């Protein structure tokens, strides 16, 4: 009898183990399907944001994060007023208009509320013109389109940070080199609540090769304490901006959002 039951027990254990693995994987994939999911503390990645500009607050019920920024970056640019300590001359850059400067515009502050845990189960959503995210510097992130025409035509006005300013807010279109230059630094958070990092991933120390159309994938980051989490990267693909003064250029985020 013993000889007869032992193999059966073994098979039963193997089947249970296989089932357990499969069910673990499904749970991981669906972790973010419920946007009412709550957290008990603000994501550790918010510690990387410039606290002079950016405020992030977790809602009382832990389901949403409110983020606001002055819109003013913590790095140098030709777009500061010439008497500002962070002003630098950038001879290769043609400003959008000569008398535009950071702090001299309208509507430079921005705020938005995101799910504390992004909802990754819905359809992807195309990005729109205007602010699509907030960088750790405090400045706005825009997509790869320029309101008045092609981004390529505006590339000559982009400063060393891959940013410029019209009448409105100072904003990045390209890899913001004061924040990240071909490394795994946190770049910011987008309007869908998903964080975006530089061209490399801290999980591997390399340019990830498993990115989706948005530059996203699921892995650990330096802010997730060993837990895998969906996040974006700047895609490591040179953007041929003909008159950008600081080539090579990399588009910061062209979408679509995956976290709405
Ligand atoms: Zn622009
Ligand atoms: Zn990654």
């Amino acid at each position: 009898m013993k000889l007869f039951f032992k193999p059966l027990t073994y098979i039963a254990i193997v089947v249970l183990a296989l089932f357990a693995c499969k069910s673990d994987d499904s749970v991981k994939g669906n972790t973010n399907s419920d946007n009412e999911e709550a957290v008990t503390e603000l994501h550790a990645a918010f510690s990387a944001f410039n606290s002079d500009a950016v405020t992030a607050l977790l809602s009382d019920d832990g389901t949403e994060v409110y983020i606001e920024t002055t819109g003013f970056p913590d790095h140098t640019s030709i777009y500061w007023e010439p008497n500002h300590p962070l002003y630098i001359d950038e001879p290769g850059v043609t400003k959008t208009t000569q008398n535009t400067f950071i702090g001299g515009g309208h509507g430079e502050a921005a705020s938005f509320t995101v799910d504390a845990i992004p909802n990754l189960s819905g359809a992807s959503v195309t990005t729109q013109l205007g602010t699509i995210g907030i960088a750790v510097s405090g400045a706005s992130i825009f997509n790869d389109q320029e309101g008045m025409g092609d981004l390529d035509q505006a590339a000559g006005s982009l400063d060393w940070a891959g940013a410029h300013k019209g009448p409105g807010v100072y904003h990045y279109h390209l890899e913001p080199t004061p924040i990240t230059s071909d490394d795994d630094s946190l770049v910011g958070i987008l309007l869908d609540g998903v964080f975006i990092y530089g061209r490399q991933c801290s999980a591997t120390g390399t340019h990830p090769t498993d990115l989706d159309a948005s530059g996203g994938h699921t892995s650990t980051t330096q802010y997730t304490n060993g837990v895998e989490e969906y996040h974006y990267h700047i895609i490591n693909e040179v953007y041929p901006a003909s008159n950008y003064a600081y080539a090579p250029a990399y588009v910061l985020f062209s979408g679509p959002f995956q976290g709405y």
Side-chain angles (χ1 to χ4, degrees):
M1 288 293 274
K2 272 187 179 176
L3 280 173
F4 182 73
F5 273 115
K6 263 186 185 165
L8 273 184
T9 311
Y10 178 71
I11 288 165
I13 288 167
V14 168
V15 169
L16 276 175
L18 285 172
F19 183 76
C21 286
K22 195 165 173 61
S23 107
D24 267 352
D25 286 342
S26 333
V27 168
K28 231 177 227 169
N30 293 324
T31 301
N32 299 319
S33 61
D34 179 3
N35 59 7
E36 293 304 311
E37 273 186 288
V39 297
T40 53
E41 56 185 22
L42 212 50
H43 196 293
F46 284 109
S47 65
F49 283 72
N50 165 21
S51 58
D52 287 340
V54 181
T55 305
L57 300 167
L58 186 61
S59 64
D60 287 343
D61 65 2
T63 62
E64 292 179 334
V65 180
Y66 171 78
I67 303 159
E68 65 176 21
T69 180
T70 61
F72 303 158
D74 55 1
H75 59 74
T76 59
S77 169
I78 191 174
Y79 284 97
W80 287 103
E81 214 171 353
N83 62 4
H84 191 281
L86 291 174
Y87 171 83
I88 52 166
D89 188 21
E90 298 184 80
V93 175
T94 308
K95 284 180 70 174
T96 40
T97 58
Q98 280 311 308
N99 55 5
T100 185
F101 57 88
I102 298 165
H106 304 289
E108 294 183 89
S111 67
F112 55 89
T113 302
V114 299
D115 286 340
I117 298 179
N119 178 9
L120 299 168
S121 63
S124 59
V125 174
T126 309
T127 59
Q128 70 286 357
L129 293 174
T131 295
I132 63 161
I134 299 295
V136 295
S137 66
S140 276
I141 295 171
F142 276 34
N143 65 12
D144 61 343
Q145 306 291 312
E146 180 67 18
M148 295 312 198
D150 194 67
L151 179 57
D152 192 50
Q153 287 174 6
S157 68
L158 296 170
D159 65 9
W160 76 286
H164 63 179
K165 177 183 162 59
V169 64
Y170 175 82
H171 58 271
Y172 307 105
H173 287 285
L174 304 176
E175 175 181 68
T177 51
I179 298 171
T180 180
S181 181
D182 197 16
D183 59 29
D184 63 9
S185 298
L186 179 70
V187 175
I189 185 168
L190 301 190
L191 295 185
D192 61 354
V194 177
F195 291 101
I196 180 166
Y197 292 80
R199 283 185 274 145
Q200 298 189 30
C201 188
S202 72
T204 54
T206 57
H207 302 129
T209 54
D210 59 345
L211 301 179
D212 61 24
S214 306
H217 73 161
T218 301
S219 77
T220 61
T221 79
Q222 59 270 51
Y223 299 105
T224 61
N225 198 21
V227 176
E228 294 196 332
E229 173 181 280
Y230 183 81
H231 57 276
Y232 302 121
H233 285 279
I234 296 171
I235 296 175
N236 186 39
E237 196 177 281
V238 173
Y239 172 70
S242 51
N243 54 351
Y244 182 47
Y246 302 94
Y250 300 85
V251 167
L252 210 176
F253 186 78
S254 57
F257 292 122
Q258 301 289 341
Y260 272 117

